[in-house]
Amino acid sequence: MSAPGYDLDVLRAMFPGWSFFCSDTGVFYATRRGVRLRNTEIDAGLHQTVSADDVGTFVALLQDQQIRR
């Protein structure tokens, strides 16, 4: 699956712990695969699912999640 102007397979390779998709309206979503966050992790700023309207913001969110982990 690819979004207009961006190949989601690139994101899958960059962030292998996440499952990706792009909605029909162009919103990018990623959900953690095989991980259920604890309340302390959520309190520390981790998210089970992230979304963004553009690729740049989306990648920045995923990178932030990597740093927080």
Side-chain angles (χ1 to χ4, degrees), residues 37-48:
L37 296 176
R38 297 180 309 243
N39 287 339
T40 56
E41 293 171 311
I42 293 168
D43 292 344
L46 293 176
H47 299 286
Q48 193 71 41

Side-chain angles (χ1 to χ4, degrees), residues 18 32 35 37-50 64-69:
W18 296 80
R32 292 181 189 273
V35 174
L37 296 176
R38 297 180 309 243
N39 287 339
T40 56
E41 293 171 311
I42 293 168
D43 292 344
L46 293 176
H47 299 286
Q48 193 71 41
T49 300
V50 296
D64 178 66
Q65 289 296 295
Q66 280 187 317
I67 291 167
R68 291 177 185 271
R69 190 79 170 151

